[in-house]
Amino acid sequence: GISVDLFEPTGLASGASGNERGLFNPRFTAQRGNESDFYSSAFQQTIRLFDTLSSHHDIGYERSGSLHLVMDDAKMKRMKGFLSTWDWHEDHAQLMDQDAARAICGAPIKSGGVYLPDAGLVSPYRVVQALAEDTIVIDEKVLSLERKNSSWIVNGRSYDAVVLCCAVHVIGFEELNWLPVSTVRGQISLIETDASCQSLKVNLCYGGYASKPFDGRMVVGSTFQPWLHDADVREEDHADVLDKLSHVVDGFNPTEAKVVGARVGFRCASKDRVAVIGRVPQANGLYVSVAHGSHGLTSAVMGAEIIA
C-alpha cells in the first residue's frame, strides 16, 4: 500500500544480487541470542516470501534442502550448539552421520553434516525483478539528499521516508559516513555438472558451497576476499573454489571441471558480520539496510519487512 520510487542508476540487480542462483540459509551461532533469533525468523520469512513469489513468477526457486557439512571439531561444536539452543524441531534441522548424509544428498560426500530440508536455491536476479514490479524505477544516481521540514528531498523529489540500501555506498552520505562497513569480493564459478555430482539432490555448504544441479550446471563459490577490489574474473579463483569442492566430494576432479561462466560481486559487510538495519539515529524518516554479507537472501528480506 506504499508508493515506492526506486533509484537505480546501473540496472536492477547489477551488483552482487545479480547471480543466476543463490542459496538461502540462516547464519548459525552456537548460542541463542539476538543474532540467532533474527536469522531464525529471517529464514522463515524468506521461505514464506519465496513461496508466495514463486506462485506467480519463475524465480528459479527450489526448496531442495541444504546439507551443511561438518569437517572439523570447531564446526561440530557450533552445529551442536545450534541444534541444542535454537529450539528447532528435528523436522527442520537434523545432524546426520556420513552414511545418512550420503543417502539424503545423493553424492559421495566425505563427511556427515546438518541437514536443513527447508533451505534451497533461488535466482536473486529474478527475485529482485519480481519485487520491483510495483515500484517506479528511476534511472538516476542519488546526487543530493537533504531534510526539509518533514520531508526528505532526493534529487529534487520529495518523500515521507527514504531507505538507503546501496551496500557500501551508504558511507558516501553524510548521515551514515560513520558506519563501519566495507566490501568483500566474491567470485563464483558456473560449471557443467560433474559425474560425481550428477545425482546431487541438495545444496552443499562447507565454507564454500555447491548448488544442486540445475539445467545441467552448478554454481560453485565463493571466494572471500576483503583485500581485493578487482572486478575481473580470475582463473586462480576458479581453481580455489573447485579445489575446495574436491575436498568434500569423492571423485570430483577440479582440473577436469568445465567452467561455463563466472561472476564477481562485492558484498557489503560489517565488522561483526551482522546486517545493519533500521532507522538512522537523529534522522527521522531515514532508514538503512546494508551489510547483509553472504546471507543477504535471508537478512535482506527480513530487513525490508522490519523497515516496512
Side-chain angles (χ1 to χ4, degrees):
I2 299 173
S3 176
V4 176
D5 287 356
L6 179 60
F7 286 80
E8 179 49 85
T10 57
L12 290 173
S14 58
S17 302
N19 291 342
E20 188 169 352
R21 289 293 188 280
L23 279 57
F24 54 94
N25 290 288
R27 185 174 188 265
F28 298 110
T29 57
Q31 300 299 321
R32 184 171 177 180
N34 291 337
E35 184 180 341
S36 65
D37 285 355
F38 169 79
Y39 280 102
S40 184
S41 298
F43 182 58
Q44 297 303 319
Q45 180 68 20
T46 296
I47 291 169
R48 287 192 290 270
L49 174 67
F50 291 167
D51 281 343
T52 301
L53 279 181
S54 63
S55 66
H56 299 96
H57 302 83
D58 177 9
I59 57 172
Y61 174 53
E62 292 185 65
R63 203 194 293 190
S64 54
S66 288
L67 188 62
H68 294 258
L69 302 179
V70 177
M71 307 291 290
D72 55 48
D73 291 341
K75 186 71 172 286
M76 179 62 79
K77 182 178 180 180
R78 180 151 54 101
M79 285 305 192
K80 283 188 173 180
F82 151 65
L83 291 168
S84 64
T85 63
W86 282 36
D87 294 333
W88 283 22
H89 191 276
E90 63 179 10
D91 286 352
H92 301 285
Q94 187 175 357
L95 181 63
M96 297 180 168
D97 62 20
Q98 183 179 11
D99 290 340
R102 281 190 169 193
I104 283 287
C105 78
I109 54 175
K110 298 181 181 181
S111 75
V114 173
Y115 176 53
L116 269 63
D118 301 316
L121 71 163
V122 73
S123 167
Y125 177 81
R126 295 184 197 173
V127 168
V128 170
Q129 297 287 331
L131 291 174
E133 273 192 350
D134 295 326
T135 70
I136 297 172
V137 180
I138 299 174
D139 184 17
E140 293 178 11
K141 182 177 181 179
V142 175
L143 298 174
S144 64
L145 172 68
E146 57 181 330
R147 182 77 169 172
K148 283 190 177 181
N149 299 322
S150 60
S151 298
W152 286 93
I153 311 300
V154 182
N155 289 8
R157 297 177 175 87
S158 177
Y159 297 99
D160 296 322
V162 171
V163 183
L164 298 175
C165 45
C166 49
V168 76
H169 301 293
V170 293
I171 61 177
F173 294 97
E174 180 181 354
E175 293 82 2
L176 285 168
N177 58 15
W178 48 271
L179 268 187
V181 296
S182 58
T183 59
V184 178
R185 181 186 183 276
Q187 180 176 311
I188 60 169
S189 303
L190 187 65
I191 66 171
E192 287 188 356
T193 305
D194 181 88
S196 63
C197 299
Q198 197 74 46
S199 300
L200 183 63
K201 296 179 287 190
V202 304
N203 306 306
L204 299 179
C205 304
Y206 44 87
Y209 64 84
S211 75
K212 174 184 176 290
F214 61 96
D215 302 331
R217 299 170 297 166
M218 299 170 60
V219 173
V220 184
S222 166
T223 60
F224 188 90
Q225 300 156 314
W227 61 90
L228 286 180
H229 305 281
D230 180 5
D232 294 334
V233 172
R234 295 155 45 106
E235 289 302 320
E236 56 263 47
D237 289 350
H238 287 313
D240 178 43
V241 297
L242 296 177
D243 181 65
K244 287 178 180 176
L245 180 57
S246 73
H247 284 87
V248 299
V249 177
D250 267 330
F252 179 78
N253 188 333
T255 62
E256 294 180 359
K258 185 174 181 180
V259 177
V260 294
R263 201 165 187 277
V264 174
F266 293 91
R267 313 178 196 98
C268 178
S270 63
K271 283 190 175 181
D272 61 3
R273 302 292 180 237
V274 178
V276 178
I277 299 163
R279 186 174 67 81
V280 177
Q282 285 86 48
N284 287 335
L286 186 65
Y287 301 84
V288 63
S289 180
V290 294
H292 297 283
S294 56
H295 292 85
L297 277 170
T298 51
S299 59
V301 168
M302 193 62 172
E305 184 71 18
I306 289 169
I307 291 171

